[in-house]
Amino acid sequence: MLSRKIPTGLTPSAILRSNCAPASIASPFFRTYAPAAPTPDSKPPVPLFGLDGTYASALYTAAVKSSTLESTSKSLATLSDVLKKDPKLPVILTAPTLTPGDKSQIVQELQRHMGGVDKADTVKNFLKTLAENNRLGILEGVCEKFSTLMGAARGEVDLIVTSASKLDLKTLQRLETAVAKSEYSQGKRLKVVPKVNPDIIGGLVVEIGDRTIDLSVSSKISKMNKLLTDTL
């Protein structure tokens, strides 16, 4: 990924504001008779870290201000699926040899995948911002971080289930039900996030909030090796 920095004084929020923020229209005739509409809280519900977190937070703020939060969330979920299904695409996005023409074509192709879901071109403008700043390579991370923001806004908590191979839907639902009934859920709605990591060999690693339940085979082997080492 290129190390090119965003120009001084030009933050993601500032870049997006001009394209994404709706114009404010006030009418003096109704000030006395009609109460002002409540202003939605555009502040991200939880703090995020890293460059992808900074961009995700800026996009969240812009989407709230332009009343396109749900459509933006759906668009990013679609892009996340596209990136996961095509392992070559994330590699292409980080290529340092991309020309302005290449970036423009990539943005158009990503926009095509979103279909008509992207209201007010919020995500389209965001993708252009990433392209102009040589940051298309963080798109996958932005999608994940934005999902975290949406979950927090909805009062959800991520239930990350990592397995050595892909789990079927029935197994995931059983895990969700079991954790929902435990103290770990803290009464919040769970959002299951399945992940695959062959390195754990077998078993599961379950993460919820700041807690981790490691039931993986690799963890058991590691503990056994430590026990043998300490004994010898």
Side-chain angles (χ1 to χ4, degrees), residues 200 202-206 212-220 223:
I200 70 172
L204 298 171
V205 177
V206 180
T212 300
I213 307 171
D214 194 342
L215 304 175
S216 65
V217 172
S218 61
S219 175
K220 294 179 180 179
K223 291 178 181 178

Side-chain angles (χ1 to χ4, degrees), residues 13 23-24 37 150 156 191 200:
S13 296
S24 176
M150 290 301 298
E156 300 173 340
K191 177 185 176 183
I200 70 172

Side-chain angles (χ1 to χ4, degrees), residues 11-230:
T11 64
S13 296
I15 295 170
L16 289 166
R17 192 175 297 119
S18 61
N19 290 326
C20 302
S24 176
I25 302 177
S27 173
F29 300 103
F30 294 96
R31 288 177 184 172
T32 304
Y33 306 101
T39 302
D41 186 3
S42 60
K43 182 180 179 181
V46 292
L48 297 177
F49 305 96
L51 189 58
D52 52 1
T54 299
Y55 273 90
S57 297
L59 177 58
Y60 180 91
T61 297
V64 171
K65 290 182 177 180
S66 59
S67 301
T68 57
L69 189 58
E70 288 301 325
S71 61
T72 297
S73 177
K74 292 178 181 178
S75 296
L76 288 188
T78 299
L79 292 181
S80 180
D81 288 339
V82 171
L83 290 167
K84 289 176 181 177
K85 290 178 181 178
D86 186 354
K88 293 182 180 179
L89 184 54
V91 177
I92 294 174
L93 295 181
T94 59
T97 56
L98 290 177
T99 65
D102 294 332
K103 296 172 187 176
S104 178
Q105 289 182 2
I106 289 174
V107 170
Q108 290 178 12
E109 184 64 17
L110 292 174
Q111 185 183 10
R112 185 182 66 80
H113 282 289
M114 291 186 295
V117 178
D118 183 26
K119 304 298 182 183
D121 289 337
T122 303
V123 179
K124 175 186 176 182
N125 292 334
F126 177 73
L127 292 174
K128 287 183 177 180
T129 299
L130 291 181
E132 291 169 0
N133 289 284
N134 293 326
R135 299 299 185 186
L136 282 172
I138 67 171
L139 178 57
E140 189 169 15
V142 170
C143 291
E144 292 182 3
K145 294 291 180 66
F146 195 89
S147 177
T148 298
L149 290 176
M150 290 301 298
R154 294 166 177 160
E156 300 173 340
V157 59
D158 284 352
L159 174 62
I160 303 174
V161 181
T162 304
S163 56
S165 58
K166 186 176 180 179
L167 299 177
D168 58 63
L169 181 59
K170 185 176 181 180
T171 300
L172 290 173
Q173 289 176 337
R174 288 176 60 188
L175 283 168
E176 180 182 6
T177 300
V179 176
K181 293 179 180 179
S182 71
E183 60 181 13
Y184 295 108
S185 69
Q186 299 179 345
K188 294 183 178 180
R189 187 169 60 177
L190 301 178
K191 177 185 176 183
V192 181
V193 182
K195 293 187 176 181
V196 175
N197 181 6
D199 292 341
I200 70 172
I201 304 175
L204 298 171
V205 177
V206 180
E207 301 172 70
I208 178 170
D210 58 354
R211 299 188 179 186
T212 300
I213 307 171
D214 194 342
L215 304 175
S216 65
V217 172
S218 61
S219 175
K220 294 179 180 179
I221 293 176
S222 178
K223 291 178 181 178
M224 185 179 297
N225 287 338
K226 185 179 186 305
L227 178 63
L228 290 173
T229 301
D230 293 343

